[in-house]
């Protein structure tokens, strides 16, 4: 019977009206601030706000009452990156742990335009802190763009085997 009572307490804490709501209420203003900061850093200064149910409201001088699905793939990519970087910041604040590894898989070959790519590169270089290690995996980067990174490893398939060059 004691075990059943303990389970009921845990269930009540994990309900939407439980501890989750308290955590969301505490961090939501900070999350919205970081989302807008990263959107601005990505040269997309829209007003993006999440509510307690994680529903978005988006507005700008050009857009009123837009939803995420209303945007182009390139615009969505900037929103997605701002959310990713925001969650990283929230993890740092909540856990007092600095995540020093960020893995970005094919973000430069996705829907980002050249300005978005340059903005993301600037965030990677100057906005994440000196102790961050960023691993970028991409299949389409030009030699010109590869030179913007400190280290580049190229993997080629030769006769069915992977070959690595720096």
């Amino acid at each position: 019977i004691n075990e059943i009572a303990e389970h009921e307490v845990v269930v009540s804490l994990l309900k939407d009206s439980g501890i989750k709501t308290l955590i969301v209420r505490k961090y939501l203003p900070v999350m919205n601030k970081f989302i807008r900061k990263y959107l601005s850093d990505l040269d997309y200064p829209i007003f993006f706000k999440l509510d307690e149910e994680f529903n978005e409201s988006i507005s700008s001088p050009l857009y009123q009452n837009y939803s995420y699905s209303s945007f182009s793939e390139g615009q969505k990519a900037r929103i997605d990156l701002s959310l990713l970087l925001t969650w990283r910041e929230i993890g740092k604040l909540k856990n007092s742990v600095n995540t020093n590894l960020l893995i970005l898989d094919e973000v430069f070959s996705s829907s980002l335009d050249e300005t978005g790519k340059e903005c993301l590169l600037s965030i990677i270089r100057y906005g994440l802190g000196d102790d961050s290690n960023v691993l970028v995996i991409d299949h389409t980067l030009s030699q010109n763009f590869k030179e913007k990174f400190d280290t580049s490893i190229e993997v080629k398939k030769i006769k069915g085997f992977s070959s690595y060059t720096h």
Side-chain angles (χ1 to χ4, degrees), residues 32-49 56-83 85-86 111-120 123:
N32 284 322
K33 179 181 166 190
F34 276 118
I35 291 167
R36 286 191 296 275
K37 175 213 177 300
Y38 282 116
L39 281 169
S40 180
D41 290 351
L42 288 164
D43 195 32
Y44 198 54
I46 60 172
F47 186 83
F48 185 102
K49 183 177 180 184
E56 79 274 355
S57 60
I58 304 169
S59 62
S60 77
L62 298 176
Y63 309 109
Q64 296 299 322
N65 299 320
Y66 258 56
S67 69
Y68 178 82
S69 61
S70 304
F71 290 98
S72 72
E73 293 304 311
Q75 293 165 327
K76 287 178 187 177
R78 291 179 197 219
I79 293 170
D80 293 347
L81 286 166
S82 69
L83 290 168
L85 296 167
T86 294
S111 303
L112 280 179
D113 61 11
E114 291 307 309
T115 302
K117 290 176 185 178
E118 290 296 332
C119 291
L120 179 56
I123 290 170

Side-chain angles (χ1 to χ4, degrees), residues 117-155:
K117 290 176 185 178
E118 290 296 332
C119 291
L120 179 56
L121 186 60
S122 180
I123 290 170
I124 291 170
R125 282 207 169 278
Y126 309 112
L128 298 180
D130 292 339
D131 62 341
S132 289
N133 298 295
V134 181
L135 177 62
V136 176
I137 302 163
D138 208 289
H139 303 283
T140 62
L141 291 182
S142 67
Q143 186 60 37
N144 216 14
F145 206 74
K146 287 180 196 175
E147 291 170 0
K148 296 182 181 199
F149 294 92
D150 295 334
T151 305
S152 174
I153 300 172
E154 190 169 344
V155 180

